[in-house]
Amino acid sequence: MLSALMNFLNACLWPTRSDHHHHHQDGDGGRQDGLLWFRDSGHHVFGDFSMAVVQANNLLEDQSQLESGSLSSSSSSAPPYGTFLGVYDGHGGPETSRFINHHLFLHLKRFAAEQECMSADVIKKAFQATEEGFLSLVSNRFQTTPQLATVGSCCLVCVISDGTLYVANAGDSRAVLGQLFKSTAAAGDVHATQLSAEHNASIESVRRELQALHPDHPDIVLLKHNVWRVKGIIQVSRSIGDVYLKRSEFNREPLYAKFRLRAPFSRPLLSAEPSITVHTLQPHDLFIICASDGLWEHMSNQEAVEIVHTHPRNGIAKRLVKMALKEAAKKREMRYSDLKKIDRGVRRHFHDDITVIVVFFDTSLVVSRARGPAVSVRGAGVNLPHNSLAPCTTAGAS
């Protein structure tokens, strides 16, 4: 009953594509091969890019996008120009990650127009506006769809503009920079530099931060089934959504009792504020890998940048995803070919949804302020056929 209700909500709020078949090509130039979607190559204003997504959940909870061109909603003569990357790793359902995919970039363009530039403050405001928008949606639908209060998403954003790379993260997705310094260039050694800060209770510094913020909650982090979780419930300490852990008015009926916390709370237990890193691009900065934690569960930062550096650019995101899947199969002592036969839903027992975006930096384009054609690509997945959902008569959410 609950599953049917959430599927109905999905269809009403965010219209989805019907099931893709093997090697189907979509309007973004992406292709679908079973549960794997990929865009092997494309051009953003500062170089090449590659994207890939593999689905494990019955409904894809990872959402992603690449937007390249104007980064402002203003038609002024010199708006901020560049490339925007977003990786949104949802949990509890796809609703929050889909909401972010439809709203965050638009908020960023609006704030960039107001400030007439790109900045860390613009990105921070875009996160806040997206969080407030989803909170409003939950509030409006709480009496009819209380389960929406338990859905959330990690949010990783990278913006390249005017020779600067901004990395903003809430959750445990990761952005890793591949660098080749002259001192090591002869040996071909590429160096991995993680630019995103992670907010996962498995990290001791995150647990200390939570304990300092919530001294009146001695159980703010609990070790449950050998995994550290906030209140024994969720691993990430920052996210968009998860409003039942941020606003006490959603920690009550009609939300199901199994989700409600027994102890009252007066301040949010989770935060939507991103950690932001600002990096000035240099000639030794070759590329950046943005990926959900599904990738990093199966390979290290260094392994990932070495794969990118030593293989052709075309299809490199797909290569990373496949390497992760092969490692996942190996851990379960099974063949990769057999793992590929397992359908979505059941596949989640073997690995998570995995999203990878690799963006290369062409130094000459980064410094030249060149303006190429606008590009907009969104990662895709296999969705339930429309005829399996209740008919929808309401308009999509704004």
Side-chain angles (χ1 to χ4, degrees):
M1 178 68 181
L2 177 61
S3 176
L5 182 62
M6 295 305 285
N7 286 338
F8 172 78
L9 179 66
N10 290 338
C12 293
L13 295 181
W14 300 276
T16 58
R17 301 169 182 168
S18 59
D19 267 339
H20 295 275
H21 299 288
H22 288 272
H23 300 293
H24 174 82
Q25 184 160 345
D26 63 27
D28 290 334
R31 298 178 67 85
Q32 192 84 34
D33 181 6
L35 297 179
L36 176 67
W37 175 95
F38 55 94
R39 170 77 180 264
D40 276 341
S41 65
H43 301 287
H44 68 110
V45 294
F46 301 129
D48 300 324
F49 72 87
S50 180
M51 296 175 66
V53 180
V54 67
Q55 181 171 346
N57 288 289
N58 192 41
L59 287 171
L60 180 67
E61 294 185 348
D62 273 18
Q63 299 291 312
S64 56
Q65 66 185 126
L66 181 146
E67 311 286 345
S68 195
S70 175
L71 300 178
S72 169
S73 58
S74 170
S75 58
S76 64
S77 58
Y81 206 75
T83 296
F84 171 98
L85 316 174
V87 173
Y88 319 124
D89 181 1
H91 46 259
E95 292 79 18
T96 311
S97 56
R98 289 180 179 178
F99 186 89
I100 299 169
N101 211 17
H102 284 81
H103 293 85
L104 192 146
F105 181 60
L106 297 178
H107 287 307
L108 179 130
K109 292 178 72 174
R110 175 167 60 89
F111 289 120
E114 290 177 3
Q115 297 193 10
E116 298 183 342
C117 69
M118 183 52 59
S119 68
D121 186 56
V122 164
I123 298 170
K124 184 177 178 180
K125 286 181 175 178
F127 270 69
Q128 182 179 0
T130 305
E131 167 82 346
E132 291 173 354
F134 190 74
L135 176 64
S136 177
L137 178 66
V138 173
S139 181
N140 290 337
R141 300 188 180 275
F142 188 61
Q143 293 303 317
T144 56
T145 319
Q147 183 75 0
L148 198 58
T150 68
V151 181
S153 180
C154 299
C155 186
L156 171 64
V157 164
C158 294
V159 180
I160 308 137
S161 182
D162 198 22
T164 301
L165 171 62
Y166 303 88
V167 177
N169 191 45
D172 57 6
S173 295
R174 191 179 300 174
V176 177
L177 188 64
Q179 300 173 300
L180 189 64
F181 298 101
K182 288 185 178 179
S183 59
T184 60
D189 293 333
V190 65
H191 178 71
T193 299
Q194 184 172 326
L195 293 183
S196 55
E198 290 178 38
H199 312 111
N200 189 303
S202 65
I203 302 169
E204 186 178 353
S205 60
V206 172
R207 295 198 298 273
R208 288 199 302 265
E209 177 186 59
L210 287 165
Q211 289 161 348
L213 288 170
H214 305 281
D216 51 337
H217 287 266
D219 62 344
I220 186 64
V221 283
L222 294 173
L223 190 61
K224 192 171 183 179
H225 305 302
N226 210 32
V227 177
W228 286 103
R229 297 177 185 271
V230 180
K231 285 288 183 177
I233 297 171
I234 187 170
Q235 288 182 262
V236 294
S237 61
R238 303 192 193 189
S239 68
I240 304 291
D242 298 306
V243 302
Y244 76 121
L245 297 174
K246 295 174 178 175
R247 299 288 187 93
S248 58
E249 60 263 37
F250 300 112
N251 185 44
R252 58 175 175 80
E253 292 185 342
L255 186 66
Y256 291 159
K258 69 176 182 177
F259 293 110
R260 300 201 297 267
L261 297 179
R262 294 179 180 178
F265 59 93
S266 57
R267 59 178 299 173
L269 302 176
L270 304 184
S271 168
E273 183 172 344
S275 294
I276 301 179
T277 301
V278 181
H279 174 81
T280 301
L281 287 171
Q282 303 292 336
H284 55 249
D285 298 327
L286 303 183
F287 56 83
I288 192 163
I289 305 169
C290 296
S292 56
D293 71 320
L295 178 76
W296 308 112
E297 288 174 0
H298 302 293
M299 70 178 66
S300 68
N301 295 352
Q302 188 62 34
E303 287 170 335
V305 298
E306 287 177 1
I307 291 169
V308 173
H309 185 57
T310 56
H311 291 89
R313 293 184 176 188
N314 188 60
I316 194 61
K318 180 174 65 180
R319 182 182 292 273
L320 286 171
V321 168
K322 287 187 174 181
M323 292 292 286
L325 294 180
K326 289 176 181 178
E327 186 62 28
K330 182 180 178 182
K331 290 176 181 177
R332 299 298 290 267
E333 299 182 342
M334 64 189 302
R335 292 179 299 184
Y336 170 60
S337 57
D338 291 331
L339 177 66
K340 287 174 61 180
K341 297 173 185 176
I342 301 173
D343 202 0
R344 55 197 167 98
V346 178
R347 183 79 81 91
R348 183 61 182 88
H349 296 289
F350 297 84
H351 65 83
D352 198 355
D353 294 338
I354 302 174
T355 295
V356 178
I357 306 176
V358 182
V359 167
F360 295 90
F361 308 123
D362 184 324
T363 304
S364 62
L365 293 176
V366 169
V367 300
S368 71
R369 299 174 182 260
R371 296 192 176 190
V375 178
S376 179
V377 182
R378 297 194 181 191
V382 176
N383 294 299
L384 293 175
H386 288 303
N387 60 12
S388 72
L389 303 175
C392 177
T393 57
T394 58
S398 59

